[in-house]
Amino acid sequence: MNAKITASGGISCKPNQATFLLTFNQESKNSEEIIKKGSEQIVEFQNLLNQLEIDKQDLKTTRYEIIPVKKTIEDKNDIIEVSYVFSHYELIQTNELTINYGSIENILNIIDAISKMENPPTYTIKFGVNRETRNKLEEEALANAIKLAEEKAEFIKNTMSKSSKTCLFIEVHNNFQDFDSDANLGMPTYLRSGNSLDTINPQDINIEASITSEWKFE
């Protein structure tokens, strides 16, 4: 007698890293000037990170775009004519800064530094876990799923009065949820500019692994 058994295993832990998703903005009628202003804004932020003993190399650029903005002019006579003329350039630069999350104080220090900038960026903070912890969670979640499948197989063996059980194969479903910036794990805690962090505790990080196994009972 053969039987397929599905099982899921979960594991959770406290977050150990925080990622700032920052958006820097500049406006100017001159393209060269806006590039200069954007560079100065980033250098100012990097200097603040240096004061907090955070490596500026940890600040990763994810988007850099200069957009010409047009304004609308309406000529209202018998017939309405609409024309668009150049207004200014807008620079949008997004960056990610990931740091070890030891305590809320580490986050508050960065927020305080941002508030002191002449033109501070807007930001969102996402709490998660680093790659090493992620790999460990995946292994533990998978081990829990396999253990549960074995317990189900043992229950079937005893219920059917079989003398032995043999696992023929285990198929792992690729549903490990990602912790990275391009995907969210479970229900991550997002905090936006202006939130009071000292009254908010990041949620636990949860991960689940699912398997399908086939067993032979004799």
Side-chain angles (χ1 to χ4, degrees), residues 21-213:
L21 310 175
L22 303 128
T23 301
F24 296 85
N25 291 93
Q26 292 287 348
E27 292 185 0
S28 176
K29 291 184 177 296
N30 183 281
S31 59
E32 293 183 358
E33 180 184 11
I34 199 171
I35 293 174
K36 179 182 177 182
K37 291 171 65 176
S39 297
E40 291 173 347
Q41 187 182 23
I42 294 297
V43 170
E44 179 188 5
F45 184 65
Q46 290 175 333
N47 289 337
L48 292 172
L49 294 180
N50 185 57
Q51 295 174 18
L52 296 173
E53 299 183 348
I54 298 174
D55 190 346
K56 67 180 182 180
Q57 300 300 323
D58 293 337
L59 184 66
K60 309 298 183 183
T61 300
T62 56
R63 178 189 176 193
Y64 185 93
E65 186 175 8
I66 297 177
I67 304 171
V69 179
K70 297 181 179 181
K71 61 182 178 181
T72 303
I73 298 179
E74 296 183 358
D75 184 14
K76 296 184 178 180
N77 295 316
D78 293 338
I79 301 176
I80 298 179
E81 295 182 359
V82 180
S83 58
Y84 301 92
V85 297
F86 172 78
S87 173
H88 62 276
Y89 290 103
E90 181 179 1
L91 170 62
I92 302 175
Q93 180 170 342
T94 60
N95 295 74
E96 292 185 3
L97 174 66
T98 299
I99 65 169
N100 291 328
Y101 173 62
S103 68
I104 203 68
E105 193 68 28
N106 298 339
I107 310 301
L108 293 174
N109 288 338
I110 296 178
I111 291 177
D112 183 60
I114 291 175
S115 68
K116 295 176 181 177
M117 295 180 64
E118 181 178 351
N119 181 16
T122 58
Y123 58 86
T124 298
I125 307 172
K126 183 178 71 172
F127 295 91
V129 297
N130 57 31
R131 181 69 60 175
E132 180 181 355
T133 303
R134 169 189 171 170
N135 292 339
K136 180 180 178 181
L137 288 178
E138 290 182 353
E139 291 175 358
E140 292 183 8
L142 180 57
N144 288 342
I146 293 174
K147 180 180 178 181
L148 180 57
E150 291 177 344
E151 291 175 351
K152 288 183 177 182
E154 181 68 17
F155 176 80
I156 293 174
K157 186 195 79 170
N158 294 335
T159 301
M160 302 297 294
S161 299
K162 300 295 183 179
S163 60
S164 66
K165 66 181 190 299
T166 304
C167 182
L168 302 179
F169 74 86
I170 294 177
E171 177 185 358
V172 179
H173 302 302
N174 188 22
N175 68 337
F176 290 121
Q177 300 177 40
D178 208 332
F179 303 1
D180 299 334
S181 58
D182 57 351
N184 303 331
L185 172 64
M187 296 180 63
T189 299
Y190 281 91
L191 302 174
R192 301 189 181 278
S193 310
N195 283 108
S196 177
L197 288 184
D198 55 352
T199 60
I200 300 177
N201 293 320
Q203 299 174 3
D204 286 355
I205 301 300
N206 302 302
I207 191 170
E208 183 177 283
S210 299
I211 65 169
T212 298
S213 58

